[in-house]
Every structure is written in C-alpha cells, then in structure tokens.
C-alpha cells in the first residue's frame, strides 16, 4: 500500500535517527556523528556511522545505507509497512490510509513551495530596486550589511502588488494559488485579491529543511501593526516553526548553544555576532511543539536551550509562562536555562552597543530551571516566616506534580527539599541561654504530615550539658542514631528534628552531622547503602559502637518502621524533658545569684513552657489556668 509522501516526511522529521538506532546499537559520538560496529556484518573496527543532521546511516564496510525506516527494516527484519507501523507510535503519528486525494494534496503542497520560493526571490530583488530604497535604508540603519541581508534573504514588499501578481501569473500560478499560500488575501466584498504584505520589510521564515514557507513583515510607514506574519496555510503552522530553526540545527550539531530570543532582528544580530544557534518564536509564547523541536536540534546530553527574556517585569512574566509550559514536558537530560537581559535591552541592541562579549556575559549568567521556578514561587513571600515557608513548600510540590517523568520529578523534589531545609535553618533563631524573653528558642514544625506532635528540638547549649549524666546522654544519642541508621525511610519524618539538635558525645555528633547531610541529599538510600557510605567517610568505629548488640528491639533492623518510630519518639521525649529540667534548674540558680529583670524574665518564660508541656492552657496574661 502506497503511503502519502507528506506522512513519510513528517515521520522522518519527528524522529531523531540516533535515538532510534541507540536503542538497538551501542553508539559512540564521533564529532558531529555517531559510530559503532556495523550491526549488519561482523567487524571489529567501527565503520557504521549515523548522521542526525542528514538523517541517514552509512556503513563504510558493507555499504549499508538508509534513513530511519531503512534501518528498522534491516535491523528488525521488517517489511517497509511493518517498519512504518513500528515507528509511527514513537513519532506520535497514526499510519494513514493512502488515497488519491492525499497524493493530490502532496503534489499541491509541492507546487506551493515552488510558488513561495519564487515570491521570495522577487521580494529580494525589490529590496535593491528603487521601490525598496526605504526598506534598504531601514535595514542599514539597524546595522545590517549586504552579507547579513543576503544570508537571511531579506526582501521588500512594495505598496503596489501588481508586480508580484504579474510575476506569479507569468509562472503559471492562479489567484487561488496566491491566496492559498498566504501572499494575497481575498476581501469579503468579492473584490479581487490584494497583496497581504505591503510597504514592509520581509523576513522569510523557513521550515526544518530550509524551505521558505512564510514571511514576517515589518511596516515602515503608515497605519497597521508593527509586525505581521503570514496566515496559516498548508505549508505553515505558526506554533510548529521557529525562525532560524534550519540554521540552528547545524549550529547545535557543532556544539553551539541553542538560544531562544524574541524577534527576527534578535536572531539576525545574534547569528551575525557568532551565536548561530539563535531562534525565535513567531510573535507568540513558546508552544509545546516548539519546545520539543528545540530539544531535537541539539545532540543527546546537550538539550538545554537558553531562553532569553527582557529583564523587566514583562520579561519575567514571560519567563514564568515559559517555565510552566516546559514543566509537563521535562525528561532526563531535557530542560532549559533562562537568561535575563539588562533593563531596556534585547539581544539586538545589546550586541550593537557592547558586541558579542556583552551578549555572551548574559548567556554565561543563564540560570537553571530550578532557580527560576524557586524565584517564581518565592515572589511576594516573606520566607523568614514559617507560614510562608510552608506555603512555598506547598506551591513547589504542586508545580512538581505537573512533571510526568518520575525520575525528573524526584530529582527536583530532592533539590527543593535541600533548599527548603537550608532556608529553614537560616530562619531559625539561635537559643541564647540566660537571655530574656521567648521560650528558649523552641520550634514547632507543624508543616509535614506525620510531624512529631510535641515541641521540637531546642539547640542543646553547652552550658547545660554539664548537668546531664554522660553515660545516659551517650546511650540516648546512640538510640536516636541507631533507629535512623537501621531505618533510613524514617528520615522523611524524623530528619528535620535530628538535623536541629546536637549531641554531647563528640564522635556521635560528627556521625549525626554526616548522616543528616547524606540523607538530605539522597533520601532514597537503604540501610546498607547508608552504612557503606558513612563507613567510607571514616565513621566505621562510631557505627560499630552505635549499632552494638545491646540495642533494644525497636532500634534493630528487624523492627517495623512503626515500632522504630514510636521508640525514637519516646527516647526523644525523655531527652527533651531531661534537658528542659536542667535548663529550668539553671535558670532558678541564676535568679538566686542575680535577681535581675532579665534572669526573672528567663525563668518565667521557662515556667510558661513547663505549663504548656504539662497540657495547661495560658490566659492572655501568660499565666496558667
């Protein structure tokens, strides 16, 4: 069965050849290409090459050659139709049924490509003709020389469309052809079609293969929008194409960054300054199809285009919209970076004023998606406040739920978890023993399901440790560590408490710090992996002591997570009460030695906390009732 040629072309365009081959053959990068031992004949020296830019494979040993369909036919021993049916789902396509109408449609599109190409050449000629002198002066005033104009095939559309109509009619095209290609527009009152572009400098827009499919036009004088684009037609779908895409494909293969700017002149200025991977959407926000196209431009492992936005509020809003559009599409090694331009600058103006170095400095400051997403949710939040931190966490978690790939979602979750932890540490007031006011720096988490239902972890001040019997403190510290060492899964609910305290025993304190640091960065470690890591970090002796045979049942590896957590909480409650009572006795002693307002205030604060601990309410004056 014959298939429509346009379907086969779309199938090849949507698939990256190396991605398909790599799932069957182990490829190695070789410059712009990939190579491997040929899968079609026995050999020891790699002679099989894959070229994504040209879309074919070739073996210099056996002569095998073809495109993505040909590779599947050979490698999987399939017929042509079987290979197409195997590849279509990967490309998100449904294999159509061939029909005379579809074949006629393809021939029609081929004719339209020829029509648009002829019009492009005519517009180019008009720029150099007397009618185009204003357009030529405008482009030269924007800093473009003859090389740039020729390279981007810039043209001019005169106010009178008679010349273009005559050129196309002479070539055998009808008015219906001109209207279908978007060069002329038919008025509603039935009059003859008129030219869509008039008195405008024209920027030809090409598809992935470099064929002109549409135009962008910049008005020079008179009324009308500053820029207009061709209407959608059989050749042109605005949301699928990026200006400069065909040139950026080769630049990306050469290892140059893909840079998304906002307009035609930004792309031209960037390319002429050496940034040949510059592209731009056509007057709209990035679409999902365009984001996928950006990733396909670059080789595997380098799919991290830079999105450039103005540095003002509008530019930041545009960046946030782009981030929200990208999140549901994220995959491993597929993301974006965001660069903000200086105030009132765009790539075109910046390059004209400061040269390529000025633009490169902006690109060097491009920020990863995690940073931009963090800033997006941090806006208008006072992150020194616990409720704002909780709101920040909830907002980030809601955003991450939009990432369908579990691997990427978990990686982002770990990154934000660490930042939230550091934020919380920075916001916590340090406890100053003997100072007036407050409740001794106690904190209430109240932010995560399953949090401990009691006041959490004041910092253990050294001056109070002397009142704690050393052996008893060491035993409790061992138990607090042993439970988490044998059950790392409990770190999700116990970790913040464990991170906020400090131990009196020096070796166990260093072990606690190392354990907390590791699990905050890799919460998926099992007990064996965690112990192996800590042992490699020089804590073998402390681990042996902590995990000795005298542990109670709840602290052992065979305990259930529920019993281990209950045992940990009991130890922690006892530890807290002992430290608190030591603090209270110390405050009473200090008041006896120095009956000042400051020491009295400190003792009264601890007395109030004691009432709270025992379940008593406080009246508005702070006295227990």
């Amino acid at each position: 069965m014959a298939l429509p040629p346009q379907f086969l072309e779309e199938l090849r365009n949507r698939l990256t050849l190396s991605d398909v081959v790599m799932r069957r053959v182990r490829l190695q990068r070789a410059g712009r290409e990939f190579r491997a031992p040929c899968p079609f004949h026995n050999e020891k020296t790699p002679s099989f090459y894959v070229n994504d830019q040209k879309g074919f494979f070739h073996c210099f040993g056996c002569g095998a050659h073809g495109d993505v369909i040909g590779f599947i036919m050979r490698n999987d021993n399939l017929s042509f139709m079987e290979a197409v049916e195997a590849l279509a789902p990967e490309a998100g396509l449904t294999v159509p049924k061939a029909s005379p109408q579809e074949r006629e449609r393809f021939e029609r599109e081929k004719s339209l490509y020829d029509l648009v190409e002829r019009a492009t050449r005519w517009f180019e000629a008009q720029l150099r003709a007397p009618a185009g002198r204003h357009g030529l002066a405008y482009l030269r005033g924007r800093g473009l020389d003859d090389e740039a104009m020729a390279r981007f095939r810039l043209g001019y559309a005169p106010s009178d469309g008679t010349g273009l109509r005559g050129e196309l009619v002479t070539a055998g095209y009808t008015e219906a052809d001109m209207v279908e290609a978007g060069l002329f527009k038919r008025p509603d009152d039935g009059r003859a079609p008129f030219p869509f572009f008039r008195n405008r400098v024209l920027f030809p827009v090409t598809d992935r293969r470099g064929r002109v499919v549409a135009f962008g036009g910049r008005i020079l004088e008179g009324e009308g929008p500053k820029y207009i684009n061709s209407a959608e037609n059989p050749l042109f779908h605005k949301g699928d194409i990026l200006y400069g895409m065909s040139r950026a494909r080769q630049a990306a293969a050469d290892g140059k960054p893909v840079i998304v700017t906002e307009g035609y002149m930004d792309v031209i200025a960037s390319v002429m300054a050496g940034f040949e991977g510059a592209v731009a959407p056509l007057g709209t926000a990035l679409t999902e199809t365009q984001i996928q196209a950006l990733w396909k431009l670059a080789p595997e492992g380098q799919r991290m285009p830079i999105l450039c936005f103005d540095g003002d509020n509008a530019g930041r809003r545009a960046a946030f919209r782009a981030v929200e559009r990208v999140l549901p599409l994220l995959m491993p090694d597929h993301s974006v970076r965001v660069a903000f331009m200086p105030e009132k600058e765009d790539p075109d103006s910046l390059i004209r004023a400061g040269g390529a170095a000025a633009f490169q400095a902006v690109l060097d400051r491009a920020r990863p998606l995690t940073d931009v997403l963090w800033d997006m949710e941090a806006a208008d939040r006072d992150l020194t406040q616990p409720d704002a931190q909780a709101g920040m966490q909830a907002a980030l978690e809601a955003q991450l739920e939009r990432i369908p790939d579990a691997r990427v979602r978990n990686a982002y979750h770990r990154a934000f978890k660490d930042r939230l932890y550091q934020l919380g540490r920075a916001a916590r007031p340090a406890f100053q023993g003997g100072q007036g006011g407050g409740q001794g720096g106690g904190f209430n988490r109240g932010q995560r399901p399953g949090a401990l239902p009691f006041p959490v972890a004041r910092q253990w001040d050294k001056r109070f440790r002397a009142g704690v019997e050393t052996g008893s403190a060491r035993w409790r510290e061992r138990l607090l560590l042993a439970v988490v060492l044998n059950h790392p899964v409990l770190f999700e609910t116990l970790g913040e408490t464990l991170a906020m305290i400090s131990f009196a025993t020096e070796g166990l304190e260093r072990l606690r710090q190392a354990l907390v640091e590791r699990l905050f960065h890799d919460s998926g470690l099992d007990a064996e992996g965690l112990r192996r890591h800590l042992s490699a970090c020089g804590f073998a002796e402390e681990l042996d002591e902590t995990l000795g045979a005298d542990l109670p049942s709840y602290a052992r590896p065979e305990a259930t997570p529920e019993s281990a957590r209950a045992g940990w909480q009991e130890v922690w409650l006892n530890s807290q009460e002992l430290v608190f009572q030591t603090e209270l006795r110390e405050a009473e002693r200090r008041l006896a030695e120095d009956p000042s307002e400051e020491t009295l205030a400190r003792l009264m604060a601890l007395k109030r906390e004691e009432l709270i601990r025992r379940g008593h309410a406080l009246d508005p004056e702070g006295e227990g009732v």
Side-chain angles (χ1 to χ4, degrees):
M1 179 183 72
L3 290 171
Q6 69 270 23
F7 167 77
L8 296 176
E9 183 177 357
E10 182 67 15
L11 180 68
R12 296 182 182 102
N13 284 337
R14 288 198 182 191
L15 295 171
T16 301
L17 178 58
S18 63
D19 289 346
V20 176
V21 175
M22 205 174 294
R23 287 192 284 271
R24 296 162 175 84
V25 179
R26 187 172 182 178
L27 296 177
Q28 293 181 332
R29 178 162 289 283
R32 299 179 183 177
E33 302 175 323
F34 295 89
R35 69 178 181 182
C38 181
F40 308 130
H41 78 283
N42 295 324
E43 64 172 2
K44 294 183 179 179
T45 303
S47 62
F48 177 80
Y49 283 77
V50 174
N51 188 310
D52 283 332
Q53 277 62 52
K54 297 177 180 178
F56 65 70
F57 66 88
H58 182 81
C59 177
F60 291 93
C62 68
H65 181 94
D67 60 9
V68 65
I69 300 173
F71 174 80
I72 293 298
M73 290 173 64
R74 280 177 173 267
N75 190 80
D76 296 8
N77 193 26
L78 300 176
S79 67
F80 176 81
M81 279 303 303
E82 288 172 333
V84 169
E85 289 171 351
L87 289 170
E90 292 187 41
L93 296 173
T94 301
V95 179
K97 294 181 179 180
S99 67
Q101 292 80 7
E102 288 168 341
R103 194 167 283 280
E104 180 183 347
R105 177 185 170 191
F106 176 75
E107 293 300 326
R108 177 65 175 157
E109 288 182 356
K110 183 178 179 182
S111 176
L112 291 179
Y113 280 120
D114 295 337
L115 184 156
V116 175
E117 173 58 31
R118 185 177 290 271
T120 303
R121 292 197 298 267
W122 189 82
F123 288 136
E124 287 182 279
Q126 296 310 299
L127 185 63
R128 305 290 177 173
R133 63 183 184 277
H134 295 304
L136 189 62
Y138 167 77
L139 292 173
R140 285 180 173 162
R142 295 293 299 266
L144 300 186
D145 56 18
D146 291 345
E147 178 190 354
M149 292 183 225
R151 186 173 181 180
F152 287 89
R153 304 191 66 184
L154 303 186
Y156 178 74
S159 298
D160 182 5
T162 304
L164 176 61
R165 185 194 306 271
E167 174 76 11
L168 297 176
V169 168
T170 302
Y173 296 102
T174 66
E175 284 187 346
D177 297 331
M178 302 175 205
V179 171
E180 188 174 14
L183 293 170
F184 283 76
K185 187 172 182 179
R186 198 181 303 277
D188 296 334
D189 58 10
R191 287 177 297 154
F194 61 88
F196 185 72
F197 296 103
R198 291 176 290 181
N199 190 31
R200 290 180 181 268
V201 170
L202 293 187
F203 301 84
V205 178
T206 61
D207 63 10
R208 286 171 286 198
R209 293 172 55 181
R211 299 172 297 185
V212 180
V213 295
F215 301 93
R218 205 276 188 195
I219 198 169
L220 294 182
E221 58 185 11
E223 296 183 355
K226 186 176 180 181
Y227 281 96
I228 60 173
N229 295 311
S230 295
E232 297 211 353
N233 59 64
L235 307 183
F236 173 59
H237 302 285
K238 184 164 58 176
D240 295 349
I241 291 178
L242 293 156
Y243 181 65
M245 186 162 61
S246 59
R247 181 179 293 103
R249 182 185 299 275
Q250 187 59 54
D254 293 338
K256 297 182 179 179
V258 176
I259 306 163
V260 182
T261 64
E262 292 195 30
Y264 301 110
M265 290 301 302
D266 291 330
V267 171
I268 295 173
S270 299
V271 170
M272 298 308 294
F275 303 95
E276 297 184 353
V279 297
L282 303 178
T284 63
L286 280 174
T287 66
E288 294 181 3
T289 302
Q290 288 170 334
I291 294 167
Q292 298 282 9
L294 286 170
W295 287 333
K296 286 177 68 67
L297 291 177
E300 188 71 32
Q302 301 176 33
R303 292 169 180 170
M304 193 75 68
I306 301 173
L307 311 184
C308 285
F309 295 96
D310 294 342
D312 56 14
N313 289 334
R316 293 190 175 275
R317 286 194 297 270
F320 295 162
R321 287 195 298 271
V323 168
E324 292 184 331
R325 185 65 59 87
V326 170
L327 282 176
L329 307 176
L330 291 177
M331 299 180 290
D333 287 329
H334 291 66
S335 187
V336 299
R337 288 178 290 160
V338 178
F340 290 102
M341 304 297 299
E343 192 77 21
K344 298 182 180 179
E345 296 281 6
D346 54 35
D348 175 34
S349 64
L350 186 65
I351 289 170
R352 282 191 283 125
F359 190 36
Q360 184 62 58
V362 170
L363 300 180
D364 290 341
R365 295 194 297 270
R367 306 177 67 200
L369 192 61
T370 49
D371 284 1
V372 181
L373 183 56
W374 177 275
D375 289 349
M376 185 170 120
E377 297 301 342
D380 302 323
R381 279 193 172 98
D382 179 4
L383 294 180
T384 63
Q385 301 302 314
D387 56 341
Q389 294 172 25
M392 179 77 164
Q393 180 177 350
L396 289 171
E397 288 175 351
Q399 291 282 15
L400 298 191
E401 285 301 313
R402 302 176 61 225
I403 302 176
D405 189 288
R407 296 160 297 181
V408 177
R409 186 171 62 251
N410 290 338
Y412 271 63
H413 185 271
R414 288 194 297 270
F416 287 132
K417 180 178 179 180
D418 186 51
R419 293 183 70 164
L420 287 165
Y421 163 63
Q422 297 298 337
L423 180 67
R425 290 192 66 181
R428 291 183 189 113
F431 166 64
Q432 299 293 331
Q435 301 301 310
Q439 294 187 22
F443 307 102
N444 193 342
R445 289 172 68 189
Q447 296 179 13
R448 184 187 300 148
L452 301 184
F454 39 81
V456 180
R458 77 182 65 252
Q459 289 288 346
W460 287 14
D461 194 291
K462 288 182 180 179
R463 72 192 67 191
F464 299 125
R465 289 183 188 162
V468 181
E469 195 273 315
T470 304
S472 177
R474 191 184 194 99
W475 171 245
R476 288 192 304 276
E477 292 165 2
R478 274 187 59 196
L479 294 178
L480 294 175
L481 285 176
V483 168
V484 179
L485 284 167
N486 284 326
H487 303 275
V489 68
L490 296 179
F491 189 78
E492 180 68 24
T493 53
L494 306 180
E496 187 172 340
T497 303
L498 192 60
M500 292 165 58
I501 63 176
S502 59
F503 289 164
T505 310
E506 183 178 351
L508 296 182
E509 169 60 13
R510 289 189 294 106
L511 178 59
R512 181 196 65 82
Q513 294 176 4
L515 181 150
V516 167
E517 180 180 1
R518 183 59 179 172
L519 288 181
F520 261 109
H521 287 287
D522 189 357
S523 59
L525 273 180
D526 59 14
E528 183 179 354
L530 176 61
R531 290 195 295 269
R532 187 165 52 246
H533 167 78
L534 294 172
S535 182
C537 292
F539 293 101
E541 183 177 340
E542 288 82 358
L543 287 170
D544 288 342
E545 175 192 351
T546 302
L547 301 174
D550 57 343
L551 291 175
S553 59
Y554 64 80
R556 299 188 181 207
E558 61 271 18
T560 65
E562 293 75 15
S563 64
R565 185 175 185 276
W568 197 96
Q569 289 179 344
E570 184 176 353
V571 174
W572 175 240
L573 278 169
N574 291 335
S575 301
Q576 282 285 282
E577 186 60 29
L578 180 58
V579 172
F580 177 78
Q581 291 300 327
T582 303
E583 252 181 270
L584 187 58
R585 288 195 300 273
E586 177 69 9
E588 292 171 342
R589 184 188 64 79
R590 290 194 177 203
L591 181 61
E593 294 177 355
D594 176 23
S596 63
E597 292 184 5
E598 184 179 20
T599 55
L600 176 61
R602 174 60 182 157
L603 178 60
M604 292 303 296
L606 289 172
K607 288 287 188 180
R608 285 194 296 271
E609 182 172 349
E610 185 177 32
L611 289 172
I612 294 172
R613 283 169 171 269
R614 294 176 181 175
H616 295 286
L618 293 177
D619 67 16
E621 300 300 321
E623 298 297 331
V625 294

